[in-house]
Amino acid sequence: MGKLISLLKRLPSVGTHGAERMVLWLLRESGGRSVAMDLSGALAVAVEDVGECPVCGFFNMKGGLCACCSDSGRDADSICVVERATDVLPIERCGIYHGLYHCLGGKISPLDGIMPENLSITSLLNRVRERPGCEVILAVGSDVEGEATALYLSEILAPFDCAVSRLAQGMPAGAGLGQADAVTLMRAMEGRKNMLS
Amino acid sequence: MGKLISLLKRLPSVGTHGAERMVLWLLRESGGRSVAMDLSGALAVAVEDVGECPVCGFFNMKGGLCACCSDSGRDADSICVVERATDVLPIERCGIYHGLYHCLGGKISPLDGIMPENLSITSLLNRVRERPGCEVILAVGSDVEGEATALYLSEILAPFDCAVSRLAQGMPAGAGLGQADAVTLMRAMEGRKNMLS
């Protein structure tokens, strides 16, 4: 049981106390230990079956294409570039995008030793070359490293036959002006959109 | 001292305990009570002198125009419409805007009984009429009432000779995709900007 607690503790945002409560719940209170058995089985299956899509880098099953790349109903002329595979999930949840993805595997961050050659950029360029006239949507974060990555990608994509766009920067939904920081306000002002045209 | 505490308690985000600590600090620990005297004097002067600019509704001194309206160096062809006078401060801090302001005095919110006729909209229309070809920048919040106010103003301004724009909606500065809510991501995707043109 000590080993189980110390393993659960290593999960993101789980502390000692939380791990102990999880073990207690799994073994005593979840009813007949079936949840623990199911979890054990699901973990083993995931380790065995879940891999990386050879095209876009998102999660796939048993070495095939991922759910997006294998879905012929999606718009193959849009490639949304994200930092990590987990960034696909919030975009899918918002439900407005129906194109394909490309996971870079990180963002350019020289301080952490992550340079462009450590990211899946060559495979992105190959995909763009195979799909003339496509749109590449840079959906990287709005932090310094995300900005650097977007700038680098837009420069390297410029000679290709593709449109390159970037997620809008501005006021988050539901926010008043008092809550916005100066940089967000500056970008919102710079990127202001005409309402009448 | 009880009266002072109960008055300080009425300030935004000050509780009983905080008010008591303020009084203790002002009378005992601030050194010779000069801060308390200065505060008292500054409050009396503010009550006497600070009013509302007759043109834009921002704070002014002694009944004249406010610092923005009286500054001939500012671009009089831009009117940035904000909900409240305090919203001018974050925009001034971000340093990118050099035009004039117009404070509505609130936002359309039928549930709170605030209708368009309760806001300074007539004076805004008069200003726009006097300044053909100007740009009206709607810098109201991104919440439901802010959206409704922006939509109402854009419709009422449509027949005038002016451009109407709205602060960009999208990813706030420094945020990763994982932190963004679905509505923000949706707006960021819809409003994506071309990086190559």
Side-chain angles (χ1 to χ4, degrees), chain A residues 96 135 139 142 164-166 168 170-175 177 184 188 190 192-195, chain B residues 96 135 139 142 164-166 168 170-175 177 184 188 190 192-195:
Chain A
I96 201 181
E135 179 185 9
S142 317
V164 179
S165 59
R166 173 116 169 77
M171 301 286 291
L177 259 69
T184 298
E190 283 175 336
R192 64 184 183 271
K193 293 185 75 170
N194 199 325
M195 283 192 82
Chain B
I96 201 180
E135 179 184 8
S142 319
V164 179
S165 58
R166 173 116 169 78
M171 302 284 293
L177 259 69
T184 298
E190 282 175 339
R192 63 183 183 271
K193 293 185 74 169
N194 198 326
M195 283 192 81

PDB file of all heavy atoms in Angstrom, chain A residues 96 135 139 142 164-166 168 170-175 177 184 188 190 192-195, chain B residues 96 135 139 142 164-166 168 170-175 177 184 188 190 192-195:
ATOM      1  N   ILE A  96     -15.528  24.602 -32.300  1.00  0.00           N
ATOM      2  CA  ILE A  96     -15.640  25.462 -33.480  1.00  0.00           C
ATOM      3  C   ILE A  96     -14.699  25.024 -34.592  1.00  0.00           C
ATOM      4  O   ILE A  96     -14.854  25.428 -35.735  1.00  0.00           O
ATOM      5  CB  ILE A  96     -15.379  26.938 -33.090  1.00  0.00           C
ATOM      6  CG1 ILE A  96     -15.981  27.858 -34.137  1.00  0.00           C
ATOM      7  CG2 ILE A  96     -13.905  27.199 -32.917  1.00  0.00           C
ATOM      8  CD1 ILE A  96     -15.755  29.303 -33.848  1.00  0.00           C
ATOM      9  N   GLU A 135      -4.417  26.153 -44.732  1.00  0.00           N
ATOM     10  CA  GLU A 135      -4.225  27.185 -43.707  1.00  0.00           C
ATOM     11  C   GLU A 135      -3.571  26.556 -42.483  1.00  0.00           C
ATOM     12  O   GLU A 135      -4.048  25.535 -41.982  1.00  0.00           O
ATOM     13  CB  GLU A 135      -5.569  27.807 -43.289  1.00  0.00           C
ATOM     14  CG  GLU A 135      -5.375  28.868 -42.201  1.00  0.00           C
ATOM     15  CD  GLU A 135      -6.688  29.447 -41.662  1.00  0.00           C
ATOM     16  OE1 GLU A 135      -7.761  28.924 -42.001  1.00  0.00           O
ATOM     17  OE2 GLU A 135      -6.605  30.424 -40.890  1.00  0.00           O
ATOM     18  N   ALA A 139      -1.824  27.783 -32.864  1.00  0.00           N
ATOM     19  CA  ALA A 139      -2.558  27.842 -31.598  1.00  0.00           C
ATOM     20  C   ALA A 139      -1.609  27.550 -30.444  1.00  0.00           C
ATOM     21  O   ALA A 139      -1.902  26.745 -29.579  1.00  0.00           O
ATOM     22  CB  ALA A 139      -3.735  26.868 -31.620  1.00  0.00           C
ATOM     23  N   SER A 142       0.191  32.246 -25.381  1.00  0.00           N
ATOM     24  CA  SER A 142       0.475  33.673 -25.538  1.00  0.00           C
ATOM     25  C   SER A 142       1.624  34.112 -24.635  1.00  0.00           C
ATOM     26  O   SER A 142       1.793  35.296 -24.407  1.00  0.00           O
ATOM     27  CB  SER A 142      -0.752  34.501 -25.183  1.00  0.00           C
ATOM     28  OG  SER A 142      -1.912  33.941 -25.713  1.00  0.00           O
ATOM     29  N   VAL A 164      -0.976  31.509 -43.054  1.00  0.00           N
ATOM     30  CA  VAL A 164      -0.578  31.278 -41.666  1.00  0.00           C
ATOM     31  C   VAL A 164      -1.344  32.251 -40.782  1.00  0.00           C
ATOM     32  O   VAL A 164      -1.289  33.463 -41.000  1.00  0.00           O
ATOM     33  CB  VAL A 164       0.941  31.486 -41.467  1.00  0.00           C
ATOM     34  CG1 VAL A 164       1.320  31.256 -40.011  1.00  0.00           C
ATOM     35  CG2 VAL A 164       1.736  30.562 -42.369  1.00  0.00           C
ATOM     36  N   SER A 165      -2.104  31.741 -39.828  1.00  0.00           N
ATOM     37  CA  SER A 165      -2.831  32.635 -38.933  1.00  0.00           C
ATOM     38  C   SER A 165      -2.522  32.263 -37.492  1.00  0.00           C
ATOM     39  O   SER A 165      -1.931  31.229 -37.201  1.00  0.00           O
ATOM     40  CB  SER A 165      -4.335  32.573 -39.204  1.00  0.00           C
ATOM     41  OG  SER A 165      -4.799  31.262 -39.033  1.00  0.00           O
ATOM     42  N   ARG A 166      -2.910  33.156 -36.607  1.00  0.00           N
ATOM     43  CA  ARG A 166      -2.583  32.980 -35.186  1.00  0.00           C
ATOM     44  C   ARG A 166      -3.860  33.235 -34.409  1.00  0.00           C
ATOM     45  O   ARG A 166      -4.646  34.122 -34.773  1.00  0.00           O
ATOM     46  CB  ARG A 166      -1.533  34.037 -34.827  1.00  0.00           C
ATOM     47  CG  ARG A 166      -1.159  34.146 -33.360  1.00  0.00           C
ATOM     48  CD  ARG A 166       0.298  33.771 -33.182  1.00  0.00           C
ATOM     49  NE  ARG A 166       0.818  34.074 -31.860  1.00  0.00           N
ATOM     50  CZ  ARG A 166       0.557  33.338 -30.791  1.00  0.00           C
ATOM     51  NH1 ARG A 166      -0.242  32.309 -30.867  1.00  0.00           N
ATOM     52  NH2 ARG A 166       1.101  33.633 -29.629  1.00  0.00           N
ATOM     53  N   ALA A 168      -6.499  34.766 -32.045  1.00  0.00           N
ATOM     54  CA  ALA A 168      -6.623  36.174 -31.667  1.00  0.00           C
ATOM     55  C   ALA A 168      -6.117  36.383 -30.242  1.00  0.00           C
ATOM     56  O   ALA A 168      -6.330  35.549 -29.363  1.00  0.00           O
ATOM     57  CB  ALA A 168      -8.079  36.603 -31.767  1.00  0.00           C
ATOM     58  N   GLY A 170      -6.395  38.969 -27.028  1.00  0.00           N
ATOM     59  CA  GLY A 170      -7.259  40.054 -26.574  1.00  0.00           C
ATOM     60  C   GLY A 170      -7.906  39.738 -25.251  1.00  0.00           C
ATOM     61  O   GLY A 170      -7.379  38.962 -24.454  1.00  0.00           O
ATOM     62  N   MET A 171      -9.060  40.350 -25.046  1.00  0.00           N
ATOM     63  CA  MET A 171      -9.757  40.215 -23.771  1.00  0.00           C
ATOM     64  C   MET A 171     -10.366  38.823 -23.653  1.00  0.00           C
ATOM     65  O   MET A 171     -11.086  38.378 -24.538  1.00  0.00           O
ATOM     66  CB  MET A 171     -10.886  41.234 -23.705  1.00  0.00           C
ATOM     67  CG  MET A 171     -10.426  42.670 -23.828  1.00  0.00           C
ATOM     68  SD  MET A 171      -9.632  43.199 -22.326  1.00  0.00           S
ATOM     69  CE  MET A 171     -11.037  43.239 -21.236  1.00  0.00           C
ATOM     70  N   PRO A 172     -10.112  38.098 -22.570  1.00  0.00           N
ATOM     71  CA  PRO A 172     -10.763  36.811 -22.384  1.00  0.00           C
ATOM     72  C   PRO A 172     -12.261  37.004 -22.144  1.00  0.00           C
ATOM     73  O   PRO A 172     -12.690  38.087 -21.749  1.00  0.00           O
ATOM     74  CB  PRO A 172     -10.080  36.239 -21.142  1.00  0.00           C
ATOM     75  CG  PRO A 172      -9.547  37.417 -20.418  1.00  0.00           C
ATOM     76  CD  PRO A 172      -9.247  38.468 -21.451  1.00  0.00           C
ATOM     77  N   ALA A 173     -13.035  35.969 -22.405  1.00  0.00           N
ATOM     78  CA  ALA A 173     -14.486  36.056 -22.244  1.00  0.00           C
ATOM     79  C   ALA A 173     -14.846  36.367 -20.795  1.00  0.00           C
ATOM     80  O   ALA A 173     -14.216  35.858 -19.864  1.00  0.00           O
ATOM     81  CB  ALA A 173     -15.126  34.741 -22.663  1.00  0.00           C
ATOM     82  N   GLY A 174     -15.827  37.216 -20.605  1.00  0.00           N
ATOM     83  CA  GLY A 174     -16.343  37.472 -19.262  1.00  0.00           C
ATOM     84  C   GLY A 174     -15.547  38.462 -18.444  1.00  0.00           C
ATOM     85  O   GLY A 174     -15.906  38.751 -17.311  1.00  0.00           O
ATOM     86  N   ALA A 175     -14.468  39.014 -19.009  1.00  0.00           N
ATOM     87  CA  ALA A 175     -13.611  39.894 -18.208  1.00  0.00           C
ATOM     88  C   ALA A 175     -13.995  41.356 -18.364  1.00  0.00           C
ATOM     89  O   ALA A 175     -14.379  41.794 -19.437  1.00  0.00           O
ATOM     90  CB  ALA A 175     -12.153  39.705 -18.605  1.00  0.00           C
ATOM     91  N   LEU A 177     -12.597  45.449 -17.889  1.00  0.00           N
ATOM     92  CA  LEU A 177     -11.314  46.088 -18.152  1.00  0.00           C
ATOM     93  C   LEU A 177     -10.427  46.119 -16.923  1.00  0.00           C
ATOM     94  O   LEU A 177      -9.210  46.074 -17.027  1.00  0.00           O
ATOM     95  CB  LEU A 177     -11.528  47.514 -18.664  1.00  0.00           C
ATOM     96  CG  LEU A 177     -11.386  47.632 -20.174  1.00  0.00           C
ATOM     97  CD1 LEU A 177     -12.528  46.942 -20.860  1.00  0.00           C
ATOM     98  CD2 LEU A 177     -11.267  49.060 -20.568  1.00  0.00           C
ATOM     99  N   THR A 184      -2.337  42.453 -22.118  1.00  0.00           N
ATOM    100  CA  THR A 184      -3.578  41.976 -22.735  1.00  0.00           C
ATOM    101  C   THR A 184      -4.364  43.149 -23.315  1.00  0.00           C
ATOM    102  O   THR A 184      -4.846  43.098 -24.452  1.00  0.00           O
ATOM    103  CB  THR A 184      -4.431  41.241 -21.680  1.00  0.00           C
ATOM    104  OG1 THR A 184      -3.702  40.106 -21.216  1.00  0.00           O
ATOM    105  CG2 THR A 184      -5.753  40.778 -22.260  1.00  0.00           C
ATOM    106  N   ALA A 188      -5.387  43.868 -27.113  1.00  0.00           N
ATOM    107  CA  ALA A 188      -6.803  44.005 -27.454  1.00  0.00           C
ATOM    108  C   ALA A 188      -7.039  45.309 -28.207  1.00  0.00           C
ATOM    109  O   ALA A 188      -7.839  45.371 -29.139  1.00  0.00           O
ATOM    110  CB  ALA A 188      -7.653  43.950 -26.196  1.00  0.00           C
ATOM    111  N   GLU A 190      -4.668  47.002 -29.986  1.00  0.00           N
ATOM    112  CA  GLU A 190      -4.011  46.894 -31.298  1.00  0.00           C
ATOM    113  C   GLU A 190      -4.848  46.061 -32.270  1.00  0.00           C
ATOM    114  O   GLU A 190      -4.932  46.364 -33.445  1.00  0.00           O
ATOM    115  CB  GLU A 190      -2.645  46.206 -31.150  1.00  0.00           C
ATOM    116  CG  GLU A 190      -1.557  47.092 -30.602  1.00  0.00           C
ATOM    117  CD  GLU A 190      -0.264  46.313 -30.376  1.00  0.00           C
ATOM    118  OE1 GLU A 190      -0.315  45.071 -30.206  1.00  0.00           O
ATOM    119  OE2 GLU A 190       0.786  46.942 -30.338  1.00  0.00           O
ATOM    120  N   ARG A 192      -8.075  45.582 -32.349  1.00  0.00           N
ATOM    121  CA  ARG A 192      -9.506  45.907 -32.346  1.00  0.00           C
ATOM    122  C   ARG A 192     -10.127  45.661 -33.709  1.00  0.00           C
ATOM    123  O   ARG A 192      -9.506  45.870 -34.740  1.00  0.00           O
ATOM    124  CB  ARG A 192      -9.730  47.336 -31.878  1.00  0.00           C
ATOM    125  CG  ARG A 192      -9.158  48.411 -32.753  1.00  0.00           C
ATOM    126  CD  ARG A 192      -9.377  49.764 -32.099  1.00  0.00           C
ATOM    127  NE  ARG A 192      -8.904  50.870 -32.914  1.00  0.00           N
ATOM    128  CZ  ARG A 192      -7.671  51.359 -32.863  1.00  0.00           C
ATOM    129  NH1 ARG A 192      -6.775  50.824 -32.052  1.00  0.00           N
ATOM    130  NH2 ARG A 192      -7.324  52.377 -33.628  1.00  0.00           N
ATOM    131  N   LYS A 193     -11.366  45.198 -33.671  1.00  0.00           N
ATOM    132  CA  LYS A 193     -12.032  44.785 -34.914  1.00  0.00           C
ATOM    133  C   LYS A 193     -13.167  45.715 -35.270  1.00  0.00           C
ATOM    134  O   LYS A 193     -13.929  46.143 -34.399  1.00  0.00           O
ATOM    135  CB  LYS A 193     -12.585  43.366 -34.760  1.00  0.00           C
ATOM    136  CG  LYS A 193     -11.485  42.350 -34.626  1.00  0.00           C
ATOM    137  CD  LYS A 193     -12.053  40.964 -34.604  1.00  0.00           C
ATOM    138  CE  LYS A 193     -12.504  40.531 -35.997  1.00  0.00           C
ATOM    139  NZ  LYS A 193     -12.844  39.091 -36.005  1.00  0.00           N
ATOM    140  N   ASN A 194     -13.280  46.011 -36.557  1.00  0.00           N
ATOM    141  CA  ASN A 194     -14.366  46.831 -37.059  1.00  0.00           C
ATOM    142  C   ASN A 194     -15.698  46.108 -36.830  1.00  0.00           C
ATOM    143  O   ASN A 194     -15.831  44.941 -37.140  1.00  0.00           O
ATOM    144  CB  ASN A 194     -14.140  47.059 -38.545  1.00  0.00           C
ATOM    145  CG  ASN A 194     -14.924  48.234 -39.034  1.00  0.00           C
ATOM    146  OD1 ASN A 194     -16.036  48.482 -38.563  1.00  0.00           O
ATOM    147  ND2 ASN A 194     -14.365  48.976 -39.963  1.00  0.00           N
ATOM    148  N   MET A 195     -16.673  46.800 -36.274  1.00  0.00           N
ATOM    149  CA  MET A 195     -17.958  46.152 -35.994  1.00  0.00           C
ATOM    150  C   MET A 195     -18.973  46.395 -37.092  1.00  0.00           C
ATOM    151  O   MET A 195     -20.013  45.750 -37.119  1.00  0.00           O
ATOM    152  CB  MET A 195     -18.533  46.676 -34.678  1.00  0.00           C
ATOM    153  CG  MET A 195     -17.861  46.073 -33.461  1.00  0.00           C
ATOM    154  SD  MET A 195     -18.793  46.451 -31.959  1.00  0.00           S
ATOM    155  CE  MET A 195     -20.075  45.207 -31.955  1.00  0.00           C
TER     156      MET A 195
ATOM    157  N   ILE B  96      -0.862  52.575 -25.051  1.00  0.00           N
ATOM    158  CA  ILE B  96      -0.903  52.482 -26.510  1.00  0.00           C
ATOM    159  C   ILE B  96      -1.936  53.418 -27.113  1.00  0.00           C
ATOM    160  O   ILE B  96      -1.916  53.703 -28.302  1.00  0.00           O
ATOM    161  CB  ILE B  96      -1.184  51.022 -26.941  1.00  0.00           C
ATOM    162  CG1 ILE B  96      -0.724  50.811 -28.384  1.00  0.00           C
ATOM    163  CG2 ILE B  96      -2.637  50.669 -26.774  1.00  0.00           C
ATOM    164  CD1 ILE B  96      -0.966  49.411 -28.866  1.00  0.00           C
ATOM    165  N   GLU B 135     -13.239  57.627 -35.149  1.00  0.00           N
ATOM    166  CA  GLU B 135     -13.349  56.203 -34.817  1.00  0.00           C
ATOM    167  C   GLU B 135     -13.850  56.065 -33.378  1.00  0.00           C
ATOM    168  O   GLU B 135     -13.288  56.677 -32.470  1.00  0.00           O
ATOM    169  CB  GLU B 135     -11.988  55.493 -34.941  1.00  0.00           C
ATOM    170  CG  GLU B 135     -12.103  54.004 -34.561  1.00  0.00           C
ATOM    171  CD  GLU B 135     -10.772  53.255 -34.571  1.00  0.00           C
ATOM    172  OE1 GLU B 135      -9.719  53.892 -34.715  1.00  0.00           O
ATOM    173  OE2 GLU B 135     -10.801  52.016 -34.418  1.00  0.00           O
ATOM    174  N   ALA B 139     -14.670  49.862 -25.773  1.00  0.00           N
ATOM    175  CA  ALA B 139     -13.809  49.150 -24.824  1.00  0.00           C
ATOM    176  C   ALA B 139     -14.625  48.767 -23.601  1.00  0.00           C
ATOM    177  O   ALA B 139     -14.226  48.996 -22.472  1.00  0.00           O
ATOM    178  CB  ALA B 139     -12.611  50.020 -24.444  1.00  0.00           C
ATOM    179  N   SER B 142     -16.055  42.036 -21.665  1.00  0.00           N
ATOM    180  CA  SER B 142     -16.415  40.900 -22.520  1.00  0.00           C
ATOM    181  C   SER B 142     -17.482  40.032 -21.875  1.00  0.00           C
ATOM    182  O   SER B 142     -17.676  38.906 -22.301  1.00  0.00           O
ATOM    183  CB  SER B 142     -15.192  40.035 -22.806  1.00  0.00           C
ATOM    184  OG  SER B 142     -14.073  40.823 -23.059  1.00  0.00           O
ATOM    185  N   VAL B 164     -16.676  52.130 -36.225  1.00  0.00           N
ATOM    186  CA  VAL B 164     -16.920  51.570 -34.890  1.00  0.00           C
ATOM    187  C   VAL B 164     -16.100  50.295 -34.753  1.00  0.00           C
ATOM    188  O   VAL B 164     -16.221  49.386 -35.575  1.00  0.00           O
ATOM    189  CB  VAL B 164     -18.413  51.255 -34.676  1.00  0.00           C
ATOM    190  CG1 VAL B 164     -18.629  50.657 -33.293  1.00  0.00           C
ATOM    191  CG2 VAL B 164     -19.257  52.503 -34.850  1.00  0.00           C
ATOM    192  N   SER B 165     -15.229  50.246 -33.753  1.00  0.00           N
ATOM    193  CA  SER B 165     -14.448  49.023 -33.559  1.00  0.00           C
ATOM    194  C   SER B 165     -14.586  48.554 -32.119  1.00  0.00           C
ATOM    195  O   SER B 165     -15.081  49.268 -31.254  1.00  0.00           O
ATOM    196  CB  SER B 165     -12.980  49.254 -33.912  1.00  0.00           C
ATOM    197  OG  SER B 165     -12.451  50.288 -33.120  1.00  0.00           O
ATOM    198  N   ARG B 166     -14.151  47.329 -31.883  1.00  0.00           N
ATOM    199  CA  ARG B 166     -14.319  46.704 -30.570  1.00  0.00           C
ATOM    200  C   ARG B 166     -12.979  46.118 -30.180  1.00  0.00           C
ATOM    201  O   ARG B 166     -12.266  45.587 -31.036  1.00  0.00           O
ATOM    202  CB  ARG B 166     -15.376  45.604 -30.720  1.00  0.00           C
ATOM    203  CG  ARG B 166     -15.598  44.720 -29.525  1.00  0.00           C
ATOM    204  CD  ARG B 166     -17.010  44.913 -29.005  1.00  0.00           C
ATOM    205  NE  ARG B 166     -17.393  43.930 -28.018  1.00  0.00           N
ATOM    206  CZ  ARG B 166     -17.012  43.974 -26.739  1.00  0.00           C
ATOM    207  NH1 ARG B 166     -16.225  44.937 -26.326  1.00  0.00           N
ATOM    208  NH2 ARG B 166     -17.430  43.066 -25.898  1.00  0.00           N
ATOM    209  N   ALA B 168     -10.184  43.619 -29.282  1.00  0.00           N
ATOM    210  CA  ALA B 168     -10.068  42.233 -29.726  1.00  0.00           C
ATOM    211  C   ALA B 168     -10.426  41.282 -28.591  1.00  0.00           C
ATOM    212  O   ALA B 168     -10.108  41.529 -27.436  1.00  0.00           O
ATOM    213  CB  ALA B 168      -8.646  41.964 -30.202  1.00  0.00           C
ATOM    214  N   GLY B 170      -9.894  37.398 -27.289  1.00  0.00           N
ATOM    215  CA  GLY B 170      -9.025  36.261 -27.558  1.00  0.00           C
ATOM    216  C   GLY B 170      -8.244  35.838 -26.351  1.00  0.00           C
ATOM    217  O   GLY B 170      -8.670  36.051 -25.219  1.00  0.00           O
ATOM    218  N   MET B 171      -7.089  35.243 -26.621  1.00  0.00           N
ATOM    219  CA  MET B 171      -6.259  34.709 -25.546  1.00  0.00           C
ATOM    220  C   MET B 171      -5.602  35.847 -24.777  1.00  0.00           C
ATOM    221  O   MET B 171      -4.971  36.704 -25.363  1.00  0.00           O
ATOM    222  CB  MET B 171      -5.159  33.828 -26.141  1.00  0.00           C
ATOM    223  CG  MET B 171      -5.680  32.681 -26.965  1.00  0.00           C
ATOM    224  SD  MET B 171      -6.327  31.381 -25.933  1.00  0.00           S
ATOM    225  CE  MET B 171      -4.826  30.824 -25.146  1.00  0.00           C
ATOM    226  N   PRO B 172      -5.725  35.858 -23.451  1.00  0.00           N
ATOM    227  CA  PRO B 172      -5.027  36.876 -22.684  1.00  0.00           C
ATOM    228  C   PRO B 172      -3.520  36.635 -22.722  1.00  0.00           C
ATOM    229  O   PRO B 172      -3.085  35.512 -23.002  1.00  0.00           O
ATOM    230  CB  PRO B 172      -5.571  36.684 -21.262  1.00  0.00           C
ATOM    231  CG  PRO B 172      -6.032  35.277 -21.217  1.00  0.00           C
ATOM    232  CD  PRO B 172      -6.468  34.918 -22.606  1.00  0.00           C
ATOM    233  N   ALA B 173      -2.737  37.673 -22.464  1.00  0.00           N
ATOM    234  CA  ALA B 173      -1.281  37.551 -22.521  1.00  0.00           C
ATOM    235  C   ALA B 173      -0.793  36.528 -21.504  1.00  0.00           C
ATOM    236  O   ALA B 173      -1.309  36.443 -20.395  1.00  0.00           O
ATOM    237  CB  ALA B 173      -0.642  38.904 -22.252  1.00  0.00           C
ATOM    238  N   GLY B 174       0.202  35.741 -21.890  1.00  0.00           N
ATOM    239  CA  GLY B 174       0.844  34.824 -20.949  1.00  0.00           C
ATOM    240  C   GLY B 174       0.111  33.522 -20.719  1.00  0.00           C
ATOM    241  O   GLY B 174       0.569  32.690 -19.952  1.00  0.00           O
ATOM    242  N   ALA B 175      -1.041  33.331 -21.363  1.00  0.00           N
ATOM    243  CA  ALA B 175      -1.838  32.135 -21.074  1.00  0.00           C
ATOM    244  C   ALA B 175      -1.515  30.998 -22.030  1.00  0.00           C
ATOM    245  O   ALA B 175      -1.271  31.217 -23.209  1.00  0.00           O
ATOM    246  CB  ALA B 175      -3.316  32.464 -21.168  1.00  0.00           C
ATOM    247  N   LEU B 177      -2.963  27.232 -23.684  1.00  0.00           N
ATOM    248  CA  LEU B 177      -4.286  26.789 -24.115  1.00  0.00           C
ATOM    249  C   LEU B 177      -5.044  26.079 -23.004  1.00  0.00           C
ATOM    250  O   LEU B 177      -6.269  26.137 -22.932  1.00  0.00           O
ATOM    251  CB  LEU B 177      -4.166  25.869 -25.323  1.00  0.00           C
ATOM    252  CG  LEU B 177      -4.482  26.556 -26.639  1.00  0.00           C
ATOM    253  CD1 LEU B 177      -3.393  27.552 -26.961  1.00  0.00           C
ATOM    254  CD2 LEU B 177      -4.645  25.565 -27.733  1.00  0.00           C
ATOM    255  N   THR B 184     -13.532  31.693 -24.602  1.00  0.00           N
ATOM    256  CA  THR B 184     -12.348  32.461 -24.997  1.00  0.00           C
ATOM    257  C   THR B 184     -11.656  31.793 -26.186  1.00  0.00           C
ATOM    258  O   THR B 184     -11.298  32.463 -27.168  1.00  0.00           O
ATOM    259  CB  THR B 184     -11.368  32.558 -23.808  1.00  0.00           C
ATOM    260  OG1 THR B 184     -12.014  33.243 -22.739  1.00  0.00           O
ATOM    261  CG2 THR B 184     -10.104  33.304 -24.181  1.00  0.00           C
ATOM    262  N   ALA B 188     -11.050  33.238 -29.860  1.00  0.00           N
ATOM    263  CA  ALA B 188      -9.675  33.353 -30.357  1.00  0.00           C
ATOM    264  C   ALA B 188      -9.553  32.655 -31.708  1.00  0.00           C
ATOM    265  O   ALA B 188      -8.862  33.134 -32.603  1.00  0.00           O
ATOM    266  CB  ALA B 188      -8.697  32.747 -29.354  1.00  0.00           C
ATOM    267  N   GLU B 190     -12.136  32.073 -33.870  1.00  0.00           N
ATOM    268  CA  GLU B 190     -12.918  32.856 -34.847  1.00  0.00           C
ATOM    269  C   GLU B 190     -12.163  34.100 -35.308  1.00  0.00           C
ATOM    270  O   GLU B 190     -12.220  34.483 -36.460  1.00  0.00           O
ATOM    271  CB  GLU B 190     -14.247  33.307 -34.210  1.00  0.00           C
ATOM    272  CG  GLU B 190     -15.303  32.237 -34.135  1.00  0.00           C
ATOM    273  CD  GLU B 190     -16.534  32.734 -33.379  1.00  0.00           C
ATOM    274  OE1 GLU B 190     -16.429  33.714 -32.608  1.00  0.00           O
ATOM    275  OE2 GLU B 190     -17.591  32.131 -33.553  1.00  0.00           O
ATOM    276  N   ARG B 192      -8.969  34.656 -35.455  1.00  0.00           N
ATOM    277  CA  ARG B 192      -7.553  34.437 -35.755  1.00  0.00           C
ATOM    278  C   ARG B 192      -7.069  35.393 -36.840  1.00  0.00           C
ATOM    279  O   ARG B 192      -7.803  35.738 -37.763  1.00  0.00           O
ATOM    280  CB  ARG B 192      -7.314  32.985 -36.145  1.00  0.00           C
ATOM    281  CG  ARG B 192      -8.008  32.511 -37.392  1.00  0.00           C
ATOM    282  CD  ARG B 192      -7.731  31.029 -37.587  1.00  0.00           C
ATOM    283  NE  ARG B 192      -8.318  30.516 -38.801  1.00  0.00           N
ATOM    284  CZ  ARG B 192      -9.568  30.027 -38.883  1.00  0.00           C
ATOM    285  NH1 ARG B 192     -10.342  30.000 -37.825  1.00  0.00           N
ATOM    286  NH2 ARG B 192     -10.014  29.545 -40.035  1.00  0.00           N
ATOM    287  N   LYS B 193      -5.806  35.805 -36.673  1.00  0.00           N
ATOM    288  CA  LYS B 193      -5.268  36.819 -37.570  1.00  0.00           C
ATOM    289  C   LYS B 193      -4.197  36.256 -38.485  1.00  0.00           C
ATOM    290  O   LYS B 193      -3.348  35.473 -38.056  1.00  0.00           O
ATOM    291  CB  LYS B 193      -4.661  37.964 -36.749  1.00  0.00           C
ATOM    292  CG  LYS B 193      -5.715  38.719 -35.978  1.00  0.00           C
ATOM    293  CD  LYS B 193      -5.104  39.919 -35.284  1.00  0.00           C
ATOM    294  CE  LYS B 193      -4.780  41.027 -36.278  1.00  0.00           C
ATOM    295  NZ  LYS B 193      -4.445  42.272 -35.564  1.00  0.00           N
ATOM    296  N   ASN B 194      -4.238  36.708 -39.722  1.00  0.00           N
ATOM    297  CA  ASN B 194      -3.226  36.325 -40.685  1.00  0.00           C
ATOM    298  C   ASN B 194      -1.865  36.861 -40.254  1.00  0.00           C
ATOM    299  O   ASN B 194      -1.749  38.023 -39.913  1.00  0.00           O
ATOM    300  CB  ASN B 194      -3.615  36.905 -42.045  1.00  0.00           C
ATOM    301  CG  ASN B 194      -2.894  36.216 -43.166  1.00  0.00           C
ATOM    302  OD1 ASN B 194      -1.743  35.808 -43.001  1.00  0.00           O
ATOM    303  ND2 ASN B 194      -3.556  36.060 -44.291  1.00  0.00           N
ATOM    304  N   MET B 195      -0.848  36.014 -40.248  1.00  0.00           N
ATOM    305  CA  MET B 195       0.474  36.457 -39.800  1.00  0.00           C
ATOM    306  C   MET B 195       1.368  36.873 -40.940  1.00  0.00           C
ATOM    307  O   MET B 195       2.414  37.470 -40.733  1.00  0.00           O
ATOM    308  CB  MET B 195       1.166  35.334 -39.026  1.00  0.00           C
ATOM    309  CG  MET B 195       0.636  35.175 -37.625  1.00  0.00           C
ATOM    310  SD  MET B 195       1.695  34.093 -36.637  1.00  0.00           S
ATOM    311  CE  MET B 195       3.012  35.194 -36.119  1.00  0.00           C
TER     312      MET B 195
END
